[in-house]
Amino acid sequence: MSAPTPPALVRRAALLVALVALLAYANNLPNGFAMDDGYNVVDNALVRDLSNVPTFFTQPLGANADDAYSRQINSGYWRPLVLTSYALDHAVWGLDPFGFHLTNDLLHALVSALVVLLVFRLLTLTPATGPPSAPGAPGTRAAPALPFAVAAGLWFAVHPVHTEAVDLVTYRTELLATLFAALALLTLLRDPARRPRTLALVALLYAAGLASKETAVTLPGWLFLTELATRTQRPLLRRPTWALYAALTLVLAGYLALRAHLLTPTDIRFFGDLEAPLVALSVASIYGEYVRLLLAPWPLTPFYDWTILPPAASLTDPLALAGLTLFLLTLAAAIVLSRRPHPSTRLAGLGLSCFLLGLLPFAHLVPLPVGAAERFLYFPSLAIALTLAAAAHRLWPALALPRRRALTALFATTLCLYAAGTLARNPDWHSDLTLQEATARHFPHSFNARHVLGQTYLTLDRPAEALLHLTAADALLPDFPPNTHPLARALLANGRPADALSAIDRTLTLRGPDPALQALRAQLTRPD
């Protein structure tokens, strides 16, 4: 058995990981606002006065957006604690984006520190020992838990897939939901007796997570799986356990009732009218992309449209079948590992199980307006950090010294590459223009990247560049009315009214009536 680790040393290790997280994101502090930050922060008059905080609890996110699309797409979201955090930032910083980014960075650093504390706690619940000694082999003492917990925290802190959640103020939703969920898990693990005040605090943290983002809805499942993975001789279905899940059920029921009363689900569906079997296979493709992003997180994009991640074309779509196979392998590994006697092996299974559970809200069981997003991996990747730490902790005692050194070097190299990727990605989020330019550079075949960048150039009165990208978007998705409208405006701005009229007429002929295009055509053909 290894000697107990002093609590002060664990806290210092968590603080070190938090500092690394802050360093990894220090170059996002000069960034401005981008994307949805416009209507959520910059143009949201309610966040400019703390007296409006009660209002955030009685209306959907984006209720005060200027344009109808932003109100519609956010009509099904209730995130009052996030809006409250914006109001607090505004009270301190005004509309200086520096302060808003600093808050995001601090939240990410805090979550990264909690990863260390949470993984350390799980690894030390039931210490593990290695196999019997052999000549020249490592001893039988348990591998110390703290280095593996620190490694998990560092992996989480610098992983580039988290840049979307951290770099955009709007996506503070992910940070807060994960923060409250991690605190709830740690709170429960630190009180094996499950005292009433602990249960009340966990229920309160669950409510706070739900008030930050729907991601937290899976927390009871995480708690239950953790109970299964860490139980020893104590019975699972004790009275305090029943009290815990009764309290969580009441919180969830109240949350769902509030949503039903306040919110209107959006009718914008990423997969449109695609048949259910093809949607399921498309979700399998998305799962494969999520696994790739966790392993090789580059290039990155704020929007995975159909040209980047196409839906399944048939029931034999190779990408979809590969994703489905990967999902089934993950599920099988989670089940097998969770049933092993070795505690670290069970923890690895717990991590895989919670990873799959954490992705469940984004599996399109309820239609979503977004197909896939890097920010959706923020909470589930906490579970992957646990899996990696637990697997390494399990294998370490059996490894000879050269293999330990090789594994350490590989991990250190991976961390350096991930940190470099994060530092390189942060400036892309400086503004709408830099973000879309980066997206078009990394994904030149993306319709959305070309379309949005073209519109951004139009707004900035750079018509030649706007025309270049809107023409490219038209080639990717010909005669699509939402693109034809800015394309016609770009043609007009470049002194080509005849080509603008031709593009409008072609789209109206092929796609049918469109009020915006018809109005622009009437304007072009109106006598002087």
Side-chain angles (χ1 to χ4, degrees), residues 38-50:
Y39 67 84
N40 281 322
V41 180
V42 180
D43 299 326
N44 190 349
L46 291 180
V47 303
R48 300 175 193 173
D49 190 339
L50 286 173

Side-chain angles (χ1 to χ4, degrees), residues 310-328:
S314 69
L315 296 179
T316 58
D317 186 287
L319 283 178
L321 293 178
L324 179 60
T325 301
L326 189 58
F327 168 77
L328 292 175

Side-chain angles (χ1 to χ4, degrees), residues 260-308:
H261 177 68
L262 296 177
L263 308 181
T264 304
T266 180
D267 58 359
I268 301 174
R269 302 183 176 198
F270 180 81
F271 289 114
D273 296 326
L274 196 67
E275 296 177 358
L278 292 180
V279 171
L281 280 177
S282 299
V283 172
S285 293
I286 291 172
Y287 179 77
E289 180 66 9
Y290 283 155
V291 173
R292 182 197 70 80
L293 284 170
L294 288 171
L295 296 174
W298 200 267
L300 301 171
T301 175
F303 191 78
Y304 286 84
D305 61 18
W306 281 30
T307 51
I308 294 177

